[in-house]
Amino acid sequence: MHLKPEEPDFSMARYEVRLREMDVSGPVVAGLWLARRNEQVTEGQPLLEILAGAAVVDLPSPIDGRLIVRCVEEDDPLETGQVLAVIESVE
């Protein structure tokens, strides 16, 4: 018996959520995750708190989809351009 390899599903697109440049002095770190892995998220929904100096900023989802990867943990130091999460969307 031969099993056929699973065909790739090209109807799904993956979007990397990256940290944009922030005008703050001092360290920028990941705060509390507001969305769970595999959770359906909507555009604008807060995904992650970003701690920047004395400010706490919510990182919104840029698209509708499913949060499939959380690339940072709470209290991780962050850098501009760093991938924070991956969202899978249906095109």
Side-chain angles (χ1 to χ4, degrees):
M1 171 155 106
H2 294 286
L3 295 176
K4 293 172 77 175
E6 186 174 325
E7 303 246 346
D9 184 357
F10 292 109
S11 65
M12 299 288 191
R14 292 189 174 182
Y15 183 89
E16 293 180 339
V17 180
R18 296 178 178 269
L19 182 65
R20 292 185 174 176
E21 186 171 345
M22 300 181 75
D23 187 23
V24 296
S25 59
V28 176
V29 298
L32 180 68
W33 276 100
L34 304 172
R36 296 180 314 275
R37 193 166 33 93
N38 291 319
E39 179 179 343
Q40 287 296 126
V41 296
T42 58
E43 183 176 348
Q45 177 181 339
L47 299 175
L48 172 68
E49 290 180 344
I50 305 291
L51 310 174
V56 177
V57 179
D58 288 344
L59 176 74
S61 175
I63 60 171
D64 293 341
R66 185 171 57 95
L67 178 64
I68 58 171
V69 179
R70 299 189 322 187
C71 301
V72 297
E73 299 293 327
E74 292 176 24
D75 298 321
D76 281 355
L78 305 177
E79 297 180 12
T80 299
Q82 181 176 352
V83 177
L84 305 177
V86 179
I87 297 174
E88 186 175 68
S89 69
V90 178
E91 290 192 341

